[in-house]
Amino acid sequence: MASLWQPRTGGLLALAGVVAGLPLILPNAFYYDVAILVGINATVCVGLNLLIGYAGQISLGHAGFFALGAYASAVLTGDHGWPPLAALAAGAAGVGMLSFVLAQPILKLKGHYLAMGTLGLGIIISIVLNQEAGLTGGPDGMPVPSLRALGHTVAGEHAWYALVGLVLIVSVWLTLNLIDSPVGRALQAVHGSESAAALTGVDVIRYKVLVFVVSAVLASLAGSLFAHYAGFITPAEASFARSIELVTMVVLGGMASTFGAVVGAAVLTILPQALTAFQDFKMLVFGAVLMGTMIFLRKGLVPTLAGLIRNRMRSGRA
Amino acid sequence: MHARLSFRWLIAAFAIVALAASAVTASAAEPIRLGAFLAVTGKGAFLGDPEKKTLETYVEKISGEGGVLGRKVELIVYDTGSEAKEALTFVKRLIEQDKVDAIIGGTSTGETMAVIREVEAAAVPFISLAGAAEIVEPVKKWVFKTPHTDRLAVEKLFTDMKARGLTKIGILSGPGGFDKSCRTNAMALAPAKGLTIVADETHGAGDTDMTPQLTRIKGAPGLQAFLYCGFGAPTSIVAKNVRQIGLGVPHYQTHGSASMSFIQGAEGAAEGVRLPAAALLVVDQLPADHPQKAVATAYRDAYTERYKEPISTFGGHAYDGLFIVLEAIKRAGGTDKAKVRDEIEKTNRFIGADGIFTMSPTDHLGLDTASFVMVEVKDGTWLLLN
């Protein structure tokens, strides 16, 4: 029974339950569309949370990795006729290599400088995607063929929902395992104090690089899926605002909480759709909700609420 | 105990909200539902804002006058914030959630291209308000558009250049879809019109100085005229830079510059710039027997009366889109999507703000170069040329 409260078993089971149960209450394809976007954002955030929440590093360039994955799929399948899965893998491998090479100098930076480094990277990717119009279609974007694999085409919201749901569950499962391994404990030591971690024999740089690459590759994979799902992508995917949005999702949901990242992604993806009734005041309300959350639920949604429930149960028993 | 109680309340609240939502959709089956997704905010706001205001003005007016086929007209507008990536979700929402009978919108080419696959799959009549020719070429079954294409603009411009004996042209174009498409069309049309492109320069998104490109164009041998392919803020910058380096040849731009913000932004440097524009832009200078005079005057009056601001031709795109759909619904005798689509395709000599539309199975725009007039900037406003 107690194991159900462990995130690795209970949490994952709950997530799988939600993913499997949602189709019972989603009334039409629009809701599926929002759910799919939540799933894709959540996959990126789960990876980003590893970096922010566990390794204590801020990346303001993750939209860049997401967009690189998306454009790799778009260009390789569209212009060069690659099979989508090969393009997806090539994109992920390319982003993995890029992030590995960049991680060495960038992750030696600390605090604000690291954020600046990843910010610069994201902006460079955004500029390249905007300017290389011959390759990427420029600011107006480019179309992406459907996702075909093993003789089947993934088409329609239901199929995409199933695929994205599966990818999300697998990424969460992998992440939870990683956190619960010696690597994860080393990362938490790095987050706590780099000097102390190094003193106890943790190879700080190596772990930071590892987690940076893992989160970049997850972003790239999610980007590829998004490109095939949307069928059309623009360089706005790589924008600075989008990077900020991703970081906000992680912070809002609760740093160092994998499910927090999922919840944060869900809230920030659904909110703009839910607020369309406010029309011109949409962004105002959006900002107010974010500020309210950060002021009153300072650790983020999931850790704060989990703490509240735990306290209640404890006092209820007493 | 407490925790469980509030959880039950939460479920109950959800159920009530869901019931209320379904009740609303059930009772609203009666009116004609039109959906729009526009760039009301963001960098395309100078286009999307007048489009939204135009649609709202007329939908309100029509519903007040008894509606179409005795049914009220309902308008649902979503703001994409000028982001093509937001367009697709809003279009799905319009189709699946709001169950609209037709869709108007896609202020920019990017927003339009992003949703074409969805619109075609869902089989909903769709009228785009974006410029590029690629939207309707090749023809897509459910996709129509109202703004003139860049190709029409280039044709009109080249005819004017030819008439003035200008045959050696230098082109500068921006990075957007409209810009690129305009440049491609200029390249393709030039030989047929007997013109030579002697310089072909491009600038990037967000550039604030085009002097280097213009200097190279100035150095091109035998340069006789200059054409800028682009719209929005860069149009004013180009006009200023042209003045600064003293290019010294006639300066042409496209209908993408046909708004007062171009003239104001250029701070005097727009004087003498020629461009093709919808007749709406110079409504007061139109001769009384001009076929669009009545429509354009009525539109201008309705818009300025309500919003106390000058019209732009962009709102005219929305006017045409709205009325082409409503006329088609009238002829189809209902909102059956396939019938409405067929009737839109049969639009014949519809007099709109952008021109006189005659569509066909091979032409989902229905305008020709006659729908443009040539204008020149003079004394800070537009002068109609003959």
Side-chain angles (χ1 to χ4, degrees):
Chain A
M1 193 59 202
S3 71
L4 277 185
W5 286 105
Q6 294 299 310
R8 194 141 65 109
T9 44
L12 197 60
L13 214 63
L15 178 68
V18 169
V19 171
L22 265 184
L24 296 175
I25 56 164
L26 293 180
N28 60 42
F30 161 63
Y31 286 88
Y32 275 92
D33 177 64
V34 175
I36 290 163
L37 295 180
V38 168
I40 288 171
N41 282 334
T43 307
V44 182
C45 288
V46 163
L48 189 58
N49 177 52
L50 272 183
L51 189 69
I52 298 179
Y54 289 95
Q57 313 297 320
I58 288 184
S59 168
L60 295 177
H62 258 56
F65 297 129
F66 182 86
L68 280 184
Y71 273 92
S73 284
V75 173
L76 292 178
T77 58
D79 299 344
H80 299 282
W82 284 36
L85 285 186
L88 180 142
V95 166
M97 291 279 284
L98 177 71
S99 57
F100 179 74
V101 171
L102 287 167
Q104 306 286 349
I106 282 190
L107 289 180
K108 282 190 180 140
L109 307 171
K110 283 180 187 155
H112 302 315
Y113 298 103
L114 175 79
M116 294 290 279
T118 51
L119 169 65
L121 171 68
I123 288 181
I124 290 170
I125 293 174
S126 172
I127 290 176
V128 170
L129 293 179
N130 268 302
Q131 301 292 347
E132 290 304 312
L135 191 66
T136 65
D140 276 332
M142 68 184 295
V144 191
S146 306
L147 181 61
R148 271 188 70 79
L150 311 170
H152 292 281
T153 303
V154 185
E157 275 78 9
H158 293 83
W160 270 105
Y161 177 82
L163 176 65
V164 169
L166 192 69
V167 168
L168 175 63
I169 292 171
V170 170
S171 348
V172 169
W173 178 65
L174 285 176
T175 319
L176 290 174
N177 270 311
L178 188 69
I179 294 165
D180 210 15
S181 70
V183 176
R185 282 186 283 277
L187 285 173
Q188 289 176 47
V190 172
H191 191 182
S193 158
E194 273 188 35
S195 316
L199 204 66
T200 49
V202 174
D203 187 344
V204 173
I205 295 289
R206 189 175 142 243
Y207 283 117
K208 282 209 272 187
V209 170
L210 174 80
V211 81
F212 188 64
V213 172
V214 167
S215 69
V217 168
L218 263 182
S220 164
L221 285 176
S224 290
L225 285 179
F226 172 78
H228 285 296
Y229 169 64
F232 194 90
I233 49 168
T234 65
E237 300 305 336
S239 67
F240 174 54
R242 174 90 174 122
S243 281
I244 294 286
E245 192 184 16
L246 291 170
V247 172
T248 314
M249 286 173 181
V250 172
V251 175
L252 179 77
M255 284 184 279
S257 158
T258 300
F259 296 104
V262 176
V263 170
V267 170
L268 280 195
T269 312
I270 295 169
L271 212 53
Q273 290 295 329
L275 294 179
T276 47
F278 292 98
Q279 294 212 355
D280 293 352
F281 302 100
K282 188 169 116 177
M283 290 321 284
L284 210 66
V285 179
F286 189 76
V289 170
L290 286 190
M291 274 167 57
T293 316
M294 292 328 290
I295 292 171
F296 297 110
L297 308 172
R298 206 164 295 166
K299 285 181 181 165
L301 284 174
V302 169
T304 315
L305 294 180
L308 270 180
I309 291 173
R310 223 173 290 140
N311 282 343
R312 277 250 172 132
M313 285 175 57
R314 210 172 290 149
S315 60
R317 247 180 246 141
Chain B
M1 188 60 209
H2 256 298
R4 188 180 286 172
L5 197 66
S6 50
F7 186 61
R8 269 195 204 151
W9 273 108
L10 201 65
I11 289 186
F14 261 116
I16 290 167
V17 169
L19 271 177
S22 58
V24 167
T25 38
S27 66
E30 206 48 63
I32 293 169
R33 297 167 73 82
L34 297 179
F37 63 106
L38 305 167
V40 184
T41 57
K43 64 180 190 293
F46 71 104
L47 305 163
D49 183 59
E51 287 167 359
K52 177 176 181 237
K53 286 173 173 167
T54 303
L55 290 179
E56 282 175 347
T57 305
Y58 278 95
V59 164
E60 214 168 87
K61 194 163 172 242
I62 292 163
S63 285
E65 290 163 1
V68 173
L69 299 171
R71 294 163 68 177
K72 279 209 171 349
V73 182
E74 209 175 279
L75 177 72
I76 301 146
V77 182
Y78 293 125
D79 173 18
T80 62
S82 306
E83 297 281 4
K85 74 191 180 85
E86 305 294 332
L88 183 61
T89 298
F90 283 126
V91 162
K92 283 188 179 165
R93 184 168 182 169
L94 288 171
I95 294 170
E96 302 286 342
Q97 175 80 357
D98 304 320
K99 310 241 180 274
V100 295
D101 299 306
I103 298 175
I104 298 170
T107 300
S108 70
T109 303
E111 287 163 273
T112 301
M113 296 308 284
V115 305
I116 282 181
R117 192 174 79 172
E118 179 68 22
V119 170
E120 288 282 300
V124 179
F126 170 45
I127 298 195
S128 165
L129 307 180
E134 62 180 323
I135 294 166
V136 290
E137 292 171 18
V139 170
K140 291 140 198 109
K141 188 174 177 197
W142 298 88
V143 182
F144 302 83
K145 77 184 216 77
T146 54
H148 314 86
T149 60
D150 33 54
R151 176 171 311 155
L152 288 177
V154 170
E155 258 186 80
K156 188 82 179 179
L157 287 169
F158 279 4
T159 310
D160 190 69
M161 290 176 189
K162 192 80 181 148
R164 293 167 84 186
L166 310 168
T167 59
K168 291 193 161 47
I169 319 296
I171 296 181
L172 173 64
S173 57
F178 175 84
D179 315 39
K180 282 185 292 170
S181 176
C182 166
R183 176 189 163 273
T184 313
N185 284 314
M187 294 294 186
L189 277 170
K193 290 269 180 188
L195 305 177
T196 330
I197 309 293
V198 292
D200 172 28
E201 296 287 334
T202 56
H203 71 79
D207 283 4
T208 51
D209 180 48
M210 286 71 159
T211 324
Q213 290 94 329
L214 289 168
T215 309
R216 279 200 291 276
I217 290 174
K218 191 181 181 186
L223 182 76
Q224 288 175 321
F226 166 67
L227 166 62
Y228 175 61
C229 280
F231 72 96
T235 56
S236 303
I237 300 173
V238 168
K240 277 196 236 176
N241 288 165
V242 164
R243 176 69 59 97
Q244 279 156 8
I245 69 158
L247 195 59
V249 295
H251 180 175
Y252 286 85
Q253 297 210 2
T254 68
H255 54 310
S257 314
S259 83
M260 279 314 274
S261 54
F262 161 62
I263 299 181
Q264 284 156 4
E267 294 165 354
E271 289 294 307
V273 173
R274 281 194 180 192
L275 48 98
L280 183 60
L281 194 65
V282 284
V283 54
D284 288 325
Q285 299 170 45
L286 290 179
D289 61 344
H290 192 283
Q292 283 173 264
K293 177 89 176 177
V295 170
T297 311
Y299 170 72
R300 196 264 318 266
D301 293 346
Y303 188 92
T304 46
E305 187 194 329
R306 173 153 174 187
Y307 290 105
K308 316 280 182 245
E309 63 182 32
I311 50 164
S312 72
T313 54
F314 314 122
H317 306 327
Y319 173 91
D320 292 348
L322 176 68
F323 280 94
I324 286 174
V325 168
L326 291 180
E327 293 292 321
I329 289 174
K330 262 186 217 165
R331 291 196 301 271
T335 48
D336 181 272
K337 292 192 178 69
K339 279 190 198 150
V340 171
R341 189 215 79 93
D342 292 347
E343 288 302 331
I344 293 177
E345 199 167 68
K346 286 182 204 152
T347 296
N348 187 22
R349 294 201 56 75
F350 166 77
I351 301 175
D354 282 321
I356 299 165
F357 290 83
T358 300
M359 297 192 181
S360 74
T362 53
D363 182 3
H364 278 193
L365 167 63
L367 291 176
D368 58 24
T369 50
S371 58
F372 270 132
V373 295
M374 285 301 296
V375 298
E376 189 175 299
V377 180
K378 191 149 198 291
D379 302 328
T381 186
W382 309 102
L383 177 72
L384 176 66
L385 301 171
N386 289 319

